[in-house]
Amino acid sequence: MSRKVKYSIEEKLNAVQNYLDGKESMYSIANRFGIDVSSVSLWVNKYKAMGVDAFSTNQNKHYTKEEKEQAIAAYLHGEGSLMSICKKFKIHSTTQLRNWIKKYNGHEELKASETGVIIPGLSEPPVRTLRATIPENESHIFR
């Protein structure tokens, strides 16, 4: 069984910057690091959402119930795409936001993950009667 290799913040930032600058493709970066292209895509998406801070911690980010509700409400009110909402709320992955929306639409309870901070200026919780209208270009997400 192979061992998971950890790459330094500098290596990840350099790879992401090369991709964003058009110097390398995700595939060439993946080949250079000996990783799957999905890992490079994850690095790029995390960087787009969090900036340099995306690589500065090895711990998972925890979100309060209120943070989750605020992000869902912003998406349901059409304040942006999944990616832009993730950037605004510093959510590492659009998959995470999609999962929260699926729970919300399925009337499942959203729970706080261990710790988190409420984002200032966004205290209005989502309206329970409002359900996601998924744009055609994102409809594959909820299948």
Side-chain angles (χ1 to χ4, degrees), residues 7-74:
Y7 297 99
S8 71
I9 294 169
E10 293 78 20
E11 289 173 310
K12 290 178 182 180
L13 284 173
N14 184 300
V16 168
Q17 203 56 58
N18 282 348
Y19 170 75
L20 294 175
D21 291 345
K23 295 178 183 175
E24 275 188 280
S25 70
M26 284 191 188
Y27 291 100
S28 67
I29 293 168
N31 286 334
R32 184 164 49 94
F33 282 92
I35 59 176
D36 192 80
V37 71
S38 64
S39 296
V40 178
S41 179
L42 179 64
W43 292 354
V44 171
N45 288 335
K46 284 177 85 171
Y47 179 80
K48 286 180 177 180
M50 304 285 296
V52 178
D53 293 339
F55 306 121
S56 64
T57 181
N58 288 331
Q59 295 178 346
N60 291 332
K61 181 162 175 15
H62 300 283
Y63 303 91
T64 64
K65 180 180 177 183
E66 291 79 16
E67 284 176 306
K68 293 175 183 182
E69 289 173 344
Q70 291 166 359
I72 292 167

Side-chain angles (χ1 to χ4, degrees), residues 56-127:
S56 64
T57 181
N58 288 331
Q59 295 178 346
N60 291 332
K61 181 162 175 15
H62 300 283
Y63 303 91
T64 64
K65 180 180 177 183
E66 291 79 16
E67 284 176 306
K68 293 175 183 182
E69 289 173 344
Q70 291 166 359
I72 292 167
Y75 183 76
L76 296 181
H77 286 104
E79 294 176 22
S81 66
L82 287 169
M83 181 58 79
S84 66
I85 298 298
C86 285
K87 286 179 185 178
K88 180 178 180 178
F89 290 89
K90 298 194 182 298
I91 300 167
H92 285 220
S93 162
T94 56
T95 302
Q96 183 65 70
L97 178 57
R98 278 186 241 131
N99 289 339
W100 296 344
I101 293 168
K102 283 168 75 174
K103 278 188 172 189
Y104 176 82
N105 283 336
H107 300 284
E108 292 180 44
E109 182 181 358
L110 292 170
K111 297 178 183 175
S113 47
E114 296 181 20
T115 61
V117 178
I118 296 173
I119 298 172
L122 296 171
S123 60
E124 186 177 314
V127 177

